[in-house]
PDB file of all heavy atoms in Angstrom:
ATOM      1  N   GLU A 483     -47.469 -30.384 -17.002  1.00  0.00           N
ATOM      2  CA  GLU A 483     -47.763 -29.039 -17.522  1.00  0.00           C
ATOM      3  C   GLU A 483     -48.546 -29.103 -18.826  1.00  0.00           C
ATOM      4  O   GLU A 483     -49.505 -28.349 -19.019  1.00  0.00           O
ATOM      5  CB  GLU A 483     -46.445 -28.273 -17.744  1.00  0.00           C
ATOM      6  CG  GLU A 483     -45.759 -27.825 -16.473  1.00  0.00           C
ATOM      7  CD  GLU A 483     -44.418 -27.164 -16.744  1.00  0.00           C
ATOM      8  OE1 GLU A 483     -43.869 -27.363 -17.846  1.00  0.00           O
ATOM      9  OE2 GLU A 483     -43.915 -26.459 -15.860  1.00  0.00           O
ATOM     10  N   GLU A 484     -48.150 -29.998 -19.730  1.00  0.00           N
ATOM     11  CA  GLU A 484     -48.809 -30.048 -21.032  1.00  0.00           C
ATOM     12  C   GLU A 484     -50.183 -30.704 -20.962  1.00  0.00           C
ATOM     13  O   GLU A 484     -51.059 -30.386 -21.764  1.00  0.00           O
ATOM     14  CB  GLU A 484     -47.917 -30.788 -22.039  1.00  0.00           C
ATOM     15  CG  GLU A 484     -46.642 -30.032 -22.364  1.00  0.00           C
ATOM     16  CD  GLU A 484     -45.967 -30.535 -23.626  1.00  0.00           C
ATOM     17  OE1 GLU A 484     -46.611 -31.300 -24.384  1.00  0.00           O
ATOM     18  OE2 GLU A 484     -44.809 -30.153 -23.878  1.00  0.00           O
ATOM     19  N   SER A 485     -50.361 -31.596 -19.990  1.00  0.00           N
ATOM     20  CA  SER A 485     -51.672 -32.240 -19.856  1.00  0.00           C
ATOM     21  C   SER A 485     -52.661 -31.383 -19.083  1.00  0.00           C
ATOM     22  O   SER A 485     -53.873 -31.593 -19.167  1.00  0.00           O
ATOM     23  CB  SER A 485     -51.524 -33.600 -19.166  1.00  0.00           C
ATOM     24  OG  SER A 485     -51.024 -33.436 -17.846  1.00  0.00           O
ATOM     25  N   HIS A 486     -52.160 -30.409 -18.322  1.00  0.00           N
ATOM     26  CA  HIS A 486     -53.025 -29.503 -17.551  1.00  0.00           C
ATOM     27  C   HIS A 486     -52.583 -28.062 -17.805  1.00  0.00           C
ATOM     28  O   HIS A 486     -51.950 -27.434 -16.946  1.00  0.00           O
ATOM     29  CB  HIS A 486     -52.946 -29.809 -16.054  1.00  0.00           C
ATOM     30  CG  HIS A 486     -53.467 -31.158 -15.673  1.00  0.00           C
ATOM     31  ND1 HIS A 486     -52.725 -32.308 -15.841  1.00  0.00           N
ATOM     32  CD2 HIS A 486     -54.663 -31.542 -15.152  1.00  0.00           C
ATOM     33  CE1 HIS A 486     -53.433 -33.339 -15.422  1.00  0.00           C
ATOM     34  NE2 HIS A 486     -54.623 -32.911 -15.007  1.00  0.00           N
ATOM     35  N   PRO A 487     -52.855 -27.518 -18.974  1.00  0.00           N
ATOM     36  CA  PRO A 487     -52.435 -26.134 -19.283  1.00  0.00           C
ATOM     37  C   PRO A 487     -52.969 -25.143 -18.253  1.00  0.00           C
ATOM     38  O   PRO A 487     -54.141 -25.210 -17.866  1.00  0.00           O
ATOM     39  CB  PRO A 487     -53.043 -25.873 -20.663  1.00  0.00           C
ATOM     40  CG  PRO A 487     -53.277 -27.229 -21.238  1.00  0.00           C
ATOM     41  CD  PRO A 487     -53.618 -28.116 -20.074  1.00  0.00           C
ATOM     42  N   GLY A 488     -52.099 -24.245 -17.812  1.00  0.00           N
ATOM     43  CA  GLY A 488     -52.511 -23.212 -16.856  1.00  0.00           C
ATOM     44  C   GLY A 488     -52.630 -23.697 -15.430  1.00  0.00           C
ATOM     45  O   GLY A 488     -53.196 -22.995 -14.578  1.00  0.00           O
ATOM     46  N   ILE A 489     -52.104 -24.867 -15.129  1.00  0.00           N
ATOM     47  CA  ILE A 489     -52.182 -25.404 -13.769  1.00  0.00           C
ATOM     48  C   ILE A 489     -51.498 -24.456 -12.785  1.00  0.00           C
ATOM     49  O   ILE A 489     -50.452 -23.872 -13.077  1.00  0.00           O
ATOM     50  CB  ILE A 489     -51.544 -26.815 -13.721  1.00  0.00           C
ATOM     51  CG1 ILE A 489     -51.783 -27.462 -12.358  1.00  0.00           C
ATOM     52  CG2 ILE A 489     -50.059 -26.747 -14.029  1.00  0.00           C
ATOM     53  CD1 ILE A 489     -51.353 -28.924 -12.319  1.00  0.00           C
ATOM     54  N   ASN A 490     -52.088 -24.296 -11.610  1.00  0.00           N
ATOM     55  CA  ASN A 490     -51.574 -23.330 -10.639  1.00  0.00           C
ATOM     56  C   ASN A 490     -50.275 -23.796  -9.984  1.00  0.00           C
ATOM     57  O   ASN A 490     -49.353 -23.008  -9.780  1.00  0.00           O
ATOM     58  CB  ASN A 490     -52.612 -23.059  -9.548  1.00  0.00           C
ATOM     59  CG  ASN A 490     -53.803 -22.273 -10.085  1.00  0.00           C
ATOM     60  OD1 ASN A 490     -53.663 -21.467 -10.990  1.00  0.00           O
ATOM     61  ND2 ASN A 490     -54.982 -22.535  -9.529  1.00  0.00           N
ATOM     62  N   ALA A 491     -50.215 -25.081  -9.617  1.00  0.00           N
ATOM     63  CA  ALA A 491     -49.033 -25.598  -8.929  1.00  0.00           C
ATOM     64  C   ALA A 491     -48.680 -26.963  -9.491  1.00  0.00           C
ATOM     65  O   ALA A 491     -49.498 -27.880  -9.490  1.00  0.00           O
ATOM     66  CB  ALA A 491     -49.295 -25.694  -7.432  1.00  0.00           C
ATOM     67  N   THR A 492     -47.463 -27.090  -9.983  1.00  0.00           N
ATOM     68  CA  THR A 492     -46.994 -28.359 -10.528  1.00  0.00           C
ATOM     69  C   THR A 492     -46.255 -29.133  -9.438  1.00  0.00           C
ATOM     70  O   THR A 492     -46.132 -28.669  -8.293  1.00  0.00           O
ATOM     71  CB  THR A 492     -46.050 -28.128 -11.717  1.00  0.00           C
ATOM     72  OG1 THR A 492     -44.852 -27.493 -11.233  1.00  0.00           O
ATOM     73  CG2 THR A 492     -46.701 -27.239 -12.769  1.00  0.00           C
ATOM     74  N   ILE A 493     -45.749 -30.303  -9.801  1.00  0.00           N
ATOM     75  CA  ILE A 493     -44.992 -31.093  -8.831  1.00  0.00           C
ATOM     76  C   ILE A 493     -43.731 -30.355  -8.387  1.00  0.00           C
ATOM     77  O   ILE A 493     -43.169 -30.662  -7.334  1.00  0.00           O
ATOM     78  CB  ILE A 493     -44.628 -32.471  -9.420  1.00  0.00           C
ATOM     79  CG1 ILE A 493     -43.810 -32.316 -10.709  1.00  0.00           C
ATOM     80  CG2 ILE A 493     -45.879 -33.297  -9.661  1.00  0.00           C
ATOM     81  CD1 ILE A 493     -43.303 -33.636 -11.263  1.00  0.00           C
ATOM     82  N   ARG A 494     -43.276 -29.391  -9.176  1.00  0.00           N
ATOM     83  CA  ARG A 494     -42.103 -28.607  -8.776  1.00  0.00           C
ATOM     84  C   ARG A 494     -42.377 -27.857  -7.484  1.00  0.00           C
ATOM     85  O   ARG A 494     -41.552 -27.842  -6.565  1.00  0.00           O
ATOM     86  CB  ARG A 494     -41.715 -27.622  -9.873  1.00  0.00           C
ATOM     87  CG  ARG A 494     -40.540 -26.713  -9.500  1.00  0.00           C
ATOM     88  CD  ARG A 494     -40.264 -25.715 -10.610  1.00  0.00           C
ATOM     89  NE  ARG A 494     -41.396 -24.828 -10.816  1.00  0.00           N
ATOM     90  CZ  ARG A 494     -41.569 -24.090 -11.908  1.00  0.00           C
ATOM     91  NH1 ARG A 494     -40.691 -24.172 -12.901  1.00  0.00           N
ATOM     92  NH2 ARG A 494     -42.612 -23.294 -12.018  1.00  0.00           N
ATOM     93  N   GLU A 495     -43.555 -27.216  -7.404  1.00  0.00           N
ATOM     94  CA  GLU A 495     -43.908 -26.453  -6.212  1.00  0.00           C
ATOM     95  C   GLU A 495     -44.147 -27.369  -5.013  1.00  0.00           C
ATOM     96  O   GLU A 495     -43.755 -27.054  -3.889  1.00  0.00           O
ATOM     97  CB  GLU A 495     -45.149 -25.593  -6.452  1.00  0.00           C
ATOM     98  CG  GLU A 495     -44.917 -24.332  -7.260  1.00  0.00           C
ATOM     99  CD  GLU A 495     -44.895 -24.589  -8.758  1.00  0.00           C
ATOM    100  OE1 GLU A 495     -45.196 -25.739  -9.165  1.00  0.00           O
ATOM    101  OE2 GLU A 495     -44.546 -23.670  -9.521  1.00  0.00           O
ATOM    102  N   ARG A 496     -44.778 -28.520  -5.240  1.00  0.00           N
ATOM    103  CA  ARG A 496     -45.246 -29.346  -4.129  1.00  0.00           C
ATOM    104  C   ARG A 496     -44.256 -30.429  -3.700  1.00  0.00           C
ATOM    105  O   ARG A 496     -44.182 -30.766  -2.527  1.00  0.00           O
ATOM    106  CB  ARG A 496     -46.583 -30.003  -4.497  1.00  0.00           C
ATOM    107  CG  ARG A 496     -47.717 -28.995  -4.713  1.00  0.00           C
ATOM    108  CD  ARG A 496     -49.052 -29.672  -4.980  1.00  0.00           C
ATOM    109  NE  ARG A 496     -49.076 -30.330  -6.291  1.00  0.00           N
ATOM    110  CZ  ARG A 496     -49.040 -31.636  -6.466  1.00  0.00           C
ATOM    111  NH1 ARG A 496     -48.970 -32.446  -5.423  1.00  0.00           N
ATOM    112  NH2 ARG A 496     -49.085 -32.167  -7.682  1.00  0.00           N
ATOM    113  N   LEU A 497     -43.490 -30.984  -4.640  1.00  0.00           N
ATOM    114  CA  LEU A 497     -42.756 -32.203  -4.314  1.00  0.00           C
ATOM    115  C   LEU A 497     -41.250 -32.138  -4.594  1.00  0.00           C
ATOM    116  O   LEU A 497     -40.555 -33.137  -4.375  1.00  0.00           O
ATOM    117  CB  LEU A 497     -43.355 -33.385  -5.105  1.00  0.00           C
ATOM    118  CG  LEU A 497     -44.815 -33.719  -4.797  1.00  0.00           C
ATOM    119  CD1 LEU A 497     -45.337 -34.766  -5.771  1.00  0.00           C
ATOM    120  CD2 LEU A 497     -44.958 -34.206  -3.362  1.00  0.00           C
ATOM    121  N   TYR A 498     -40.733 -30.997  -5.071  1.00  0.00           N
ATOM    122  CA  TYR A 498     -39.314 -30.956  -5.428  1.00  0.00           C
ATOM    123  C   TYR A 498     -38.424 -31.316  -4.240  1.00  0.00           C
ATOM    124  O   TYR A 498     -37.479 -32.111  -4.374  1.00  0.00           O
ATOM    125  CB  TYR A 498     -38.928 -29.575  -5.967  1.00  0.00           C
ATOM    126  CG  TYR A 498     -37.461 -29.493  -6.331  1.00  0.00           C
ATOM    127  CD1 TYR A 498     -37.037 -29.738  -7.623  1.00  0.00           C
ATOM    128  CD2 TYR A 498     -36.484 -29.205  -5.371  1.00  0.00           C
ATOM    129  CE1 TYR A 498     -35.682 -29.694  -7.962  1.00  0.00           C
ATOM    130  CE2 TYR A 498     -35.143 -29.157  -5.690  1.00  0.00           C
ATOM    131  CZ  TYR A 498     -34.750 -29.398  -6.978  1.00  0.00           C
ATOM    132  OH  TYR A 498     -33.412 -29.380  -7.299  1.00  0.00           O
ATOM    133  N   GLY A 499     -38.691 -30.730  -3.079  1.00  0.00           N
ATOM    134  CA  GLY A 499     -37.847 -30.962  -1.913  1.00  0.00           C
ATOM    135  C   GLY A 499     -37.754 -32.428  -1.546  1.00  0.00           C
ATOM    136  O   GLY A 499     -36.662 -32.967  -1.324  1.00  0.00           O
ATOM    137  N   ALA A 500     -38.887 -33.108  -1.506  1.00  0.00           N
ATOM    138  CA  ALA A 500     -38.896 -34.531  -1.158  1.00  0.00           C
ATOM    139  C   ALA A 500     -38.240 -35.373  -2.242  1.00  0.00           C
ATOM    140  O   ALA A 500     -37.488 -36.310  -1.954  1.00  0.00           O
ATOM    141  CB  ALA A 500     -40.335 -34.996  -0.922  1.00  0.00           C
ATOM    142  N   ALA A 501     -38.507 -35.027  -3.509  1.00  0.00           N
ATOM    143  CA  ALA A 501     -37.940 -35.810  -4.622  1.00  0.00           C
ATOM    144  C   ALA A 501     -36.423 -35.728  -4.634  1.00  0.00           C
ATOM    145  O   ALA A 501     -35.746 -36.711  -4.951  1.00  0.00           O
ATOM    146  CB  ALA A 501     -38.514 -35.312  -5.944  1.00  0.00           C
ATOM    147  N   SER A 502     -35.854 -34.574  -4.292  1.00  0.00           N
ATOM    148  CA  SER A 502     -34.402 -34.393  -4.355  1.00  0.00           C
ATOM    149  C   SER A 502     -33.686 -34.930  -3.129  1.00  0.00           C
ATOM    150  O   SER A 502     -32.490 -35.207  -3.184  1.00  0.00           O
ATOM    151  CB  SER A 502     -34.060 -32.911  -4.527  1.00  0.00           C
ATOM    152  OG  SER A 502     -34.487 -32.160  -3.400  1.00  0.00           O
ATOM    153  N   ALA A 503     -34.384 -35.076  -2.000  1.00  0.00           N
ATOM    154  CA  ALA A 503     -33.744 -35.539  -0.763  1.00  0.00           C
ATOM    155  C   ALA A 503     -34.068 -37.003  -0.458  1.00  0.00           C
ATOM    156  O   ALA A 503     -33.191 -37.774  -0.080  1.00  0.00           O
ATOM    157  CB  ALA A 503     -34.156 -34.654   0.407  1.00  0.00           C
ATOM    158  N   THR A 504     -35.332 -37.402  -0.630  1.00  0.00           N
ATOM    159  CA  THR A 504     -35.768 -38.775  -0.333  1.00  0.00           C
ATOM    160  C   THR A 504     -36.571 -39.311  -1.515  1.00  0.00           C
ATOM    161  O   THR A 504     -37.803 -39.424  -1.447  1.00  0.00           O
ATOM    162  CB  THR A 504     -36.615 -38.791   0.958  1.00  0.00           C
ATOM    163  OG1 THR A 504     -37.700 -37.864   0.820  1.00  0.00           O
ATOM    164  CG2 THR A 504     -35.769 -38.410   2.165  1.00  0.00           C
ATOM    165  N   PRO A 505     -35.920 -39.666  -2.604  1.00  0.00           N
ATOM    166  CA  PRO A 505     -36.616 -40.054  -3.844  1.00  0.00           C
ATOM    167  C   PRO A 505     -37.600 -41.198  -3.672  1.00  0.00           C
ATOM    168  O   PRO A 505     -38.646 -41.221  -4.328  1.00  0.00           O
ATOM    169  CB  PRO A 505     -35.470 -40.455  -4.778  1.00  0.00           C
ATOM    170  CG  PRO A 505     -34.266 -39.760  -4.239  1.00  0.00           C
ATOM    171  CD  PRO A 505     -34.456 -39.710  -2.762  1.00  0.00           C
ATOM    172  N   VAL A 506     -37.299 -42.158  -2.807  1.00  0.00           N
ATOM    173  CA  VAL A 506     -38.158 -43.333  -2.680  1.00  0.00           C
ATOM    174  C   VAL A 506     -39.566 -42.972  -2.223  1.00  0.00           C
ATOM    175  O   VAL A 506     -40.528 -43.698  -2.503  1.00  0.00           O
ATOM    176  CB  VAL A 506     -37.515 -44.356  -1.701  1.00  0.00           C
ATOM    177  CG1 VAL A 506     -37.582 -43.853  -0.255  1.00  0.00           C
ATOM    178  CG2 VAL A 506     -38.171 -45.717  -1.852  1.00  0.00           C
ATOM    179  N   THR A 507     -39.729 -41.848  -1.539  1.00  0.00           N
ATOM    180  CA  THR A 507     -41.044 -41.466  -1.020  1.00  0.00           C
ATOM    181  C   THR A 507     -41.914 -40.799  -2.068  1.00  0.00           C
ATOM    182  O   THR A 507     -43.101 -40.571  -1.815  1.00  0.00           O
ATOM    183  CB  THR A 507     -40.881 -40.496   0.174  1.00  0.00           C
ATOM    184  OG1 THR A 507     -40.268 -39.282  -0.292  1.00  0.00           O
ATOM    185  CG2 THR A 507     -40.030 -41.109   1.270  1.00  0.00           C
ATOM    186  N   VAL A 508     -41.348 -40.471  -3.234  1.00  0.00           N
ATOM    187  CA  VAL A 508     -42.070 -39.652  -4.203  1.00  0.00           C
ATOM    188  C   VAL A 508     -42.248 -40.321  -5.558  1.00  0.00           C
ATOM    189  O   VAL A 508     -43.355 -40.307  -6.134  1.00  0.00           O
ATOM    190  CB  VAL A 508     -41.347 -38.292  -4.376  1.00  0.00           C
ATOM    191  CG1 VAL A 508     -41.979 -37.486  -5.512  1.00  0.00           C
ATOM    192  CG2 VAL A 508     -41.366 -37.498  -3.083  1.00  0.00           C
ATOM    193  N   PHE A 509     -41.205 -40.905  -6.098  1.00  0.00           N
ATOM    194  CA  PHE A 509     -41.205 -41.257  -7.517  1.00  0.00           C
ATOM    195  C   PHE A 509     -42.162 -42.383  -7.895  1.00  0.00           C
ATOM    196  O   PHE A 509     -42.699 -42.403  -9.001  1.00  0.00           O
ATOM    197  CB  PHE A 509     -39.777 -41.588  -7.976  1.00  0.00           C
ATOM    198  CG  PHE A 509     -38.992 -40.370  -8.349  1.00  0.00           C
ATOM    199  CD1 PHE A 509     -38.091 -39.810  -7.461  1.00  0.00           C
ATOM    200  CD2 PHE A 509     -39.182 -39.755  -9.582  1.00  0.00           C
ATOM    201  CE1 PHE A 509     -37.374 -38.670  -7.799  1.00  0.00           C
ATOM    202  CE2 PHE A 509     -38.466 -38.620  -9.933  1.00  0.00           C
ATOM    203  CZ  PHE A 509     -37.563 -38.078  -9.035  1.00  0.00           C
ATOM    204  N   ALA A 510     -42.370 -43.335  -7.014  1.00  0.00           N
ATOM    205  CA  ALA A 510     -43.298 -44.423  -7.350  1.00  0.00           C
ATOM    206  C   ALA A 510     -44.689 -43.870  -7.642  1.00  0.00           C
ATOM    207  O   ALA A 510     -45.340 -44.249  -8.638  1.00  0.00           O
ATOM    208  CB  ALA A 510     -43.353 -45.431  -6.206  1.00  0.00           C
TER     209      ALA A 510
END
Side-chain angles (χ1 to χ4, degrees):
E483 287 176 341
E484 293 197 13
S485 63
H486 295 79
I489 188 172
N490 290 328
T492 66
I493 58 174
R494 177 183 63 197
E495 283 82 7
R496 296 184 290 108
L497 298 172
Y498 179 94
S502 64
T504 55
V506 71
T507 64
V508 173
F509 276 99

